[in-house]
């Protein structure tokens, strides 16, 4: 397995030096347990940590196979059991306090154990695993064997506990279920028996569940057949039918959170909904305890208590919720009252009592542990104060021999005493922190944060650390904080790829010298600062993931840099590359870590893809660009996963850590390992970081995900290894002593910086996160505003400087946005200072440029004004006046992109709509063989619709053909059978006389019978539509499933034919309406002419087809339906212009034709006057009529008389013609009215036909529904029958198992009884043969010895203290095997006192006394065996009795199934015979009164009357034959 491979491949020490674990610091993530009255323990990473609650002393037990899984303790035996987390995990049992392994338990679990629990008495251990086994197992941990196990697939358990008063009971609970498991034992055989608790509903009420397998309360339906269980209706026939419930029958139940046992073997269950349940351990009866409200109720936030943990105490339980309070539930009868017991700072996650019930352990969600001691003056002590999260970074406080510091992600900084890991002090930064480093030259530390700041912490006073300075470098998070070896510089690496150099001396107020830019993904920063040199060499490792390489950037910092920093950096704070001698290197493979050797020409790297450690030689000569480094030496690391490299203070040890969790110390020259230690595991993702002290004696190792901090010490450390590092350590201390004294003195006098610090880390961190989000939002708003300003300026420039002149006086100093509340990073401050300097330096030049821009804008505006006055052909486009063509082109491209995006979105939207429309059209239109349409009457509101129909598929036609063929064959068979039966009947002589007549009558009867059956028997009026129903089976003959299916197919065919007949009639009417509309349209032409001639203002009635009559018009979009403006393409516009131009030209030509105009004016454009134009004819008046009558001449008077005569004749002609037109108009209108009304009458009859067709269709569909229901009920009956047969098979199999168990139990009982009888006989023999064995001695001595032989020692029971008895609710635990062994050992010890020589009678030979003592001891041992065997016999008899009861119960179940099967078969036969038929009744029949009818039909049957008629005819013919014979 993986862990085994870790052990095999782990590096081995080459010399005598080795490392050992001194202590482990970590906080519990699982429940804390008591081992004895004074010791608690909990798992943490690879370790189990034991803490003495009185002395606070820690003891550590390391798991050899990685991370510790689940854990449990056995207090009477003082052992602890835990599992590992590897493939096929093991369970280890260790004794305490010796921490020696007692045993190792190996099961068949594949992934992980989730729960372990010891029994309170005996040597039993229960284990539970989740996926994939879900297996509960019972172990005898002393003998390392599994006594029994059982799998429960899908049952996820979160709590498991033994009954303290009865080890045979085990409770398993989850958020949805509670089950009690009973362990039954017979001799050496054990087995589990599980019983589930029926939980109440969420409101605390109980739900009456019905038996799913054999329901007793199902209603009886006399019309629609038997009512079956829901599982049969669902078609379930397997095991799932036993527990099936539909969704509507599932009600939310209470959700248990915790349980605890009581001395009466009852259970208390706490629920999420706030209810407290009491469960009887024997009957599993659930009682919802009533809550008694106090007069002064608790605060509103504590009115609802959802227990997270429960512990039992006398008269009630102690419970805790998520509000940080511990409550006391005082329970009396079926009610309880809540009282406040204790208040804790954090939510309580776990509570448990010590074995003597004098101490209550309280564990919070953060991992802190409190001890509440009961007594006259109760006390609450904090045993373990957990940090706020896992350790993010660690480091030694210089020189690393007494104190060290830790940092968490929430900003909690702790100072610890190195010797025993006692917390000295804490400080909260109230911000998200990332890295930590301690300064070698002073008692200070630097902390990098997520918001880009570096906090400098003074630890001059270890018990009161304080923040002395804060440097806000940039808005990018700080990822690396590194001091050089002499503590001259602090190098800070950020996420954006900047490395800041800060003066590490506090006396310089931690001056920021500058920064240099490197690659963004910084992996590690390494420095070399030797005592004999005046420079600090820095190397930065970055990754190039795209190229699969790594980059090294090296530069040099002189120690005098703080004094001359201005010459090394520019105005923006960037260090000049040529002055710091910056060089770039690349490696052809990826490294996860790299350090710079003290030899200054060598680099050590840890490969990330392959398990190798390589060294690289740097080139001696200078170079430009990127230099590719090649490996100089390559050694296998024997560590897998990404790793990190560190150098010791003297540079001769190379320390490697990796994901495998192994720490190796190597020689820097040979790269060989001389010491190693497995402090963590790959299951916790190995080691995150490590720190080694200056003297090399102390090593701290921090896990990545397991939350453990391990302190390593040397076991055997001496020789040149120790001398080299100790000598260098002394030199380094001497070199740093003066600087340390100076800086520490300055730190001791430095005042504290006022930053937002506090103790409640979580809330302050949340406030910090919110403030940071607000600042980021404000920054984003400022950036958006700047972009809008720039965009508007660009648009103004591209628009050509409109007449209203835009202001061009925008400058950088005028756009500076000041925010008093917001803190500006150092890099931005330097940038702003540089900008201000540049503004001041180039202010004159800027003014000149502004003036030039103003004059240029005026010139352009003048040019634009002149351009507007020019003609169109000479005008320039406004784009020609744009100066910033690139910006204009960019805006144009952006607009084009937006337009393209919108076009694409619209096209996709239209495509989706078109696809949906095609689907609807295909389903509702194209797939229809007969399209649905309607017909409307002309004058009355009557609408007739046809039947939309789909074409029948090939499969349906084949199935119909098969049924028709089968029906024809059946009809022929029936005909032949009838002829055979009639030939053999007793009426043969009569039929022979009238053979020909009878055959004709039979043929007529048959044709009538098969073609003209009465409608009341058919159940529908389908024959009215001419549909052949001769192949339909009688409704009284449909018994089999196949007949019903064939009948359904034939009925569907009849429906199809009825609809087809009506649709044909509908099509004929539709064509008639088309003809009528065409005829009306033809007549309306003449009507319009007449109306025009008569100059009437009447509207012509023109009928048209509506959309419902022509539904295909819905699928075509007309131009007038589109409301949007039509987009006309340019060439279409050009074509329209040409057409309009040609039309104007034609009109000009028409104006020039005077002849045509005259003809139009005089004669209406025609040369001959038609009769129809007589009404419009006007006789022109003579010209002289304008003069007065007196001046007329005779000739003029004659002309006037002729004019009057012509006018009179014209008027008479007009009247005649008008009357003829009016008569013709009335005739045409009457003709239209008659024809349309005739059509309306025909459509009314068609409407009645439609109603009748729909009625026939509904009748046939009703018959189909009844047949389908009977088929469905038949399937349900078959499903029920299959389920009962399967259930019977399972019960029979169970019966065979129980019978086998009973047989085996009887055999075991007989064997045990035989052994018991033998032991009892031996005991009696020993009693009877006593005097014979001592027959050689005098009789009175034999009598004395026999009295001593019967004497037994009195064993004094240990009296428990009254105080302990009054406190411990469970008292003395019964049934313990260990107690039995102790009692027997105590009896043997008391026998030693009786066997003492002082108890020997006077005058008895010592040899005889010794023989007597041996005989008496054998007798006592035999008596103990008889007692033990009697107890075993009683236990086996009880076991046998339970197996017999189980066998009887299974037998009852089998008999019940047989009875249910018989009833089901009777129901099935009754259902097949009791048919549902459909009978038509005429409307309007007179109903009789109830008293005139027979209302009781329980003994009546419904049969075909033809049977009675045939029987009557046979009787009648028989009587006639007899009369003919007799007379």
């Amino acid at each position: 397995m993986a862990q085994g491979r870790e052990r095999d491949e782990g590096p081995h020490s080459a010399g005598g030096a080795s490392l050992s674990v001194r202590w482990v610091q970590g906080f519990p993530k699982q429940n804390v347990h008591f081992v004895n009255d004074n010791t608690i323990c909990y798992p943490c990473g690879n370790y189990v940590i034991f803490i003495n609650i009185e002395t606070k002393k820690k003891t550590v037990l390391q798991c050899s196979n990685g991370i510790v899984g689940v854990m449990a303790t056995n207090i009477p035996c003082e052992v602890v059991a835990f599992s590992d987390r590897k493939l096929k995990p093991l369970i280890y049992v260790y004794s305490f306090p010796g921490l020696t392994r007692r045993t190792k338990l190996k099961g068949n679990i594949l992934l992980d154990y989730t729960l372990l629990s010891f029994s309170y008495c005996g040597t039993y251990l229960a284990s539970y695993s989740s996926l994939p086994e879900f297996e509960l197992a019972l172990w005898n941990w002393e003998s390392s064997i599994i006594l029994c196990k059982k799998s429960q697939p899908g049952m996820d358990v979160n709590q498991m506990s033994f009954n303290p008063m009865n080890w045979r009971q085990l409770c398993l609970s989850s958020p949805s279920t509670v089950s009690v498991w009973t362990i039954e034992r017979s001799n050496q055989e054990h087995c589990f028996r599980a019983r589930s608790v029926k939980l109440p509903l969420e409101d605390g009420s109980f739900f009456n569940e019905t038996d799913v397998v054999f329901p007793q309360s199902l209603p009886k339906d006399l019309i629609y057949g038997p009512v079956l269980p829901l599982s049969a209706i669902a078609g379930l026939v397997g095991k799932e039918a036993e527990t099936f419930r539909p969704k509507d029958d599932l009600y939310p139940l209470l959700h248990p959170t915790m349980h605890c046992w009581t001395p009466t073997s009852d259970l208390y269950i706490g629920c999420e909904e706030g209810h407290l349940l009491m469960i009887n351990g024997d009957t599993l009866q659930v009682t919802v305890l009533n809550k008694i409200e106090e007069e002064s109720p608790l605060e509103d936030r504590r009115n609802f208590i959802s227990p997270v943990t429960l512990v039992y105490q006398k008269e009630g339980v102690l419970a805790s919720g998520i509000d940080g309070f511990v409550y006391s539930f005082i329970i009396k009868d079926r009610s309880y009252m809540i009282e406040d017991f204790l208040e804790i700072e954090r939510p309580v996650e776990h509570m448990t009592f010590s074995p003597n019930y004098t101490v209550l352990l309280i564990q919070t969600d953060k991992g802190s542990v409190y001890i509440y001691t009961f007594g006259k003056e109760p006390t609450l002590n904090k045993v373990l104060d957990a940090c706020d999260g896992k350790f993010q970074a660690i480091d030694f406080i210089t020189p690393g021999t007494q104190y060290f510091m830790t940092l968490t992600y929430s900003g909690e900084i702790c100072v610890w005493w190195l010797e025993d890991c006692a917390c000295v002090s804490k400080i909260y930064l109230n911000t998200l922190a990332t890295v930590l480093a301690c300064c070698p030259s002073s008692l200070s530390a630097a902390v990098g944060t997520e918001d880009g700041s570096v906090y400098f912490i003074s630890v001059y006073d270890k018990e009161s650390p304080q923040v002395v300075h804060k440097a806000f470098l940039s808005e990018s998070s700080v990822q690396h904080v590194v001091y050089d070896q002499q503590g001259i510089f602090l190098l800070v690496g950020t996420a954006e790829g900047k490395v800041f150099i800060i003066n590490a001396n506090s006396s310089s107020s931690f001056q920021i010298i500058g920064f240099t830019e490197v690659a963004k993904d910084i992996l590690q920063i390494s420095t070399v600062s030797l005592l004999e040199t005046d420079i600090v060499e820095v190397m930065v490792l970055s990754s190039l993931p795209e190229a699969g390489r790594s980059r090294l950037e090296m530069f040099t910092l002189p120690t005098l840099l703080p004094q001359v920093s201005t010459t090394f950096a520019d105005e923006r704070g960037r260090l000049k590359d040529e002055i710091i001698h910056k060089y770039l290197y690349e490696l052809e493979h990826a490294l996860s870590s790299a350090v710079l050797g003290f030899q200054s020409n060598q680099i050590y790297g840890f490969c990330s893809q392959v398990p190798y450690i390589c060294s690289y030689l740097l080139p001696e000569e200078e170079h430009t660009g990127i230099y590719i480094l090649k490996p100089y030496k390559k050694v296998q690391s024997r560590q897998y996963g990404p790793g990190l490299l560190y150098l010791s203070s003297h540079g001769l040890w190379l320390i490697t850590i990796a994901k495998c969790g192994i720490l190796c110390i190597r020689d820097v020259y040979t790269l060989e390992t001389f010491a190693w230690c497995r402090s963590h595991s790959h299951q916790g993702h190995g080691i995150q970081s490590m720190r080694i002290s200056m003297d090399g004696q102390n090593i701290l190792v921090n896990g990545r995900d397991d939350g453990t901090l391990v302190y390593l010490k040397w076991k055997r450390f001496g020789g040149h290894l120790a001398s080299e590092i100790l000598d260098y350590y002394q030199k380094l201390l001497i070199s740093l002593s003066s600087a340390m004294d100076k800086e520490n003195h300055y730190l001791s006098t430095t005042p504290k910086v006022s930053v937002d610090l506090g103790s409640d880390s979580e809330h302050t961190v949340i406030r910090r996160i919110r403030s940071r989000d607000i600042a980021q939002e404000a920054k984003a708003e400022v950036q958006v505003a700047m972009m809008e300003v720039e965009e508007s300026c660009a648009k103004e420039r591209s628009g050509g400087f409109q007449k209203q002149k835009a202001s061009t006086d925008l400058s950088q100093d005028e756009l500076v946005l000041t925010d008093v509340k917001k803190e500006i990073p150092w890099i931005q401050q330097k940038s702003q200072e540089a900008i201000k300097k540049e503004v001041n330096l180039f202010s004159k030049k800027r003014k000149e440029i502004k003036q030039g821009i103003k004059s240029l804008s005026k010139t352009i505006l003048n040019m634009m004004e002149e351009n507007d006055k020019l003609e169109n052909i000479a005008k320039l486009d406004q784009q020609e006046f744009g100066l910033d063509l690139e910006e204009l082109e960019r805006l144009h491209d952006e607009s084009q992109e937006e337009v393209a995006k919108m076009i694409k979105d619209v096209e996709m939207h239209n495509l989706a709509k078109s696809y949906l429309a095609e689907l609807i059209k295909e389903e509702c239109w194209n797939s229809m063989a007969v399209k649905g349409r309607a017909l409307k009457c002309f004058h009355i509101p009557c609408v007739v619709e046809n039947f939309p129909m789909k074409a029948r598929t090939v499969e349906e036609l084949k199935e119909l053909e098969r049924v028709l063929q089968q029906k024809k064959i059946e009809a022929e068979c029936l005909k032949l059978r009838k002829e055979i039966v009639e030939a053999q009947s007793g009426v043969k002589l009569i039929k022979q006389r009238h053979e020909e007549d009878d055959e004709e009558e039979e043929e007529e009867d048959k044709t009538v019978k098969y073609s003209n059956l009465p409608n009341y028997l058919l159940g529908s009026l389908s024959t009215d539509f001419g549909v052949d129903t001769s192949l339909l089976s009688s409704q009284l003959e449909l018994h089999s499933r196949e007949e019903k299916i064939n009948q359904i197919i034939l009925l569907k065919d009849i429906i199809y034919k009825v609809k087809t007949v009506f649709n044909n009639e509908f099509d004929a009417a539709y064509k008639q309406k088309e003809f009528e509309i065409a005829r009306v349209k033809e007549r309306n032409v003449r009507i319009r002419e007449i109306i025009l001639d008569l100059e009437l203002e009447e509207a012509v009635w023109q009928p048209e087809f509506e959309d419902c009559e022509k539904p295909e018009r819905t699928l075509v979009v007309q131009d007038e339906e589109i409301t949007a403006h039509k987009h006309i393409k340019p060439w279409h516009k050009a074509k329209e212009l040409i057409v309009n131009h040609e039309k104007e030209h034609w009109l000009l030509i028409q104006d020039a034709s005077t002849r045509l105009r005259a003809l139009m004016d005089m004669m209406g454009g025609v040369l001959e006057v038609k009769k129809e134009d007589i009404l419009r004819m006007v006789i022109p008046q003579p010209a002289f009529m304008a003069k007065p009558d007196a001046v007329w001449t005779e000739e003029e008077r004659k002309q006037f008389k002729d004019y009057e005569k012509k006018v009179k004749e014209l008027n008479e002609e007009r009247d005649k013609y008008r009357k003829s037109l009016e008569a013709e108009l009335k005739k045409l209108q009457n003709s239209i009215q008659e024809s349309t009304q005739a059509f309306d009458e025909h459509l009314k009859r068609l409407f009645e036909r439609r109603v009748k067709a729909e009625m026939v269709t509904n009748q046939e569909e009703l018959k189909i529904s009844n047949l389908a229901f009977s088929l469905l009920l038949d399937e349900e009956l078959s499903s029920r029958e299959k389920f009962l047969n399967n259930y019977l098979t399972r019960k029979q199999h169970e019966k065979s198992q129980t019978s086998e168990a009973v047989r085996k139990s009887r055999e075991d009982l007989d064997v045990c009884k035989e052994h018991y009888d033998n032991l009892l006989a031996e005991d009696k023999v020993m009693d009877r043969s006593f005097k014979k064995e001592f027959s050689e001695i005098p009789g009175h001595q034999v009598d004395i010895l026999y009295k001593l032989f019967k004497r037994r020692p009195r064993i004094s029971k240990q009296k428990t203290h009254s105080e302990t008895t009054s406190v411990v609710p469970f008292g003395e635990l019964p049934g313990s095997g260990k107690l039995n062994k102790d009692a027997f050992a105590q009896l043997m010890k008391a026998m030693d006192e009786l066997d003492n020589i002082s108890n020997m009678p006077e005058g008895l030979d010592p040899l005889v006394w010794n023989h007597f003592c041996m005989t008496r001891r054998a007798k006592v041992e035999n008596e103990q065996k008889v007692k033990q065997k009697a107890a075993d016999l009683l236990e086996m008899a009880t076991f046998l009795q339970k197996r017999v009861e189980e066998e009887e119960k299974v037998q009852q179940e089998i008999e019940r199934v047989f009875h249910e099967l018989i009833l089901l078969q009777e129901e099935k036969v009754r259902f097949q015979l009791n048919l549902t038929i459909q009978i038509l009744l005429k409307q309007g029949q007179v109903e009789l009164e109830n008293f005139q009818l027979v209302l009781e039909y329980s003994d009546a049957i419904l049969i075909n009357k033809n049977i009675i008629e045939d029987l009557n005819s046979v009787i009648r013919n028989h009587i006639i034959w007899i009369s003919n014979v007799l007379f």
Side-chain angles (χ1 to χ4, degrees), residues 150-165:
K150 193 169 185 179
S151 179
Q152 294 287 318
M155 181 178 175
D156 201 2
V157 178
N158 58 7
Q159 188 188 4
M160 176 176 65
S161 64
F162 277 93
N163 184 355
M165 305 304 294

Side-chain angles (χ1 to χ4, degrees), residues 859-881:
T859 303
I860 293 174
L861 288 174
N862 294 331
M863 293 172 63
M864 292 176 65
E865 291 175 358
E866 293 177 1
N867 184 62
D868 292 338
K869 297 176 182 178
L870 297 176
E871 296 181 358
N872 292 334
I873 194 170
K875 276 186 180 180
L876 296 176
D877 294 335
Q878 285 191 355
Q879 296 179 357
E880 302 293 336
F881 296 94

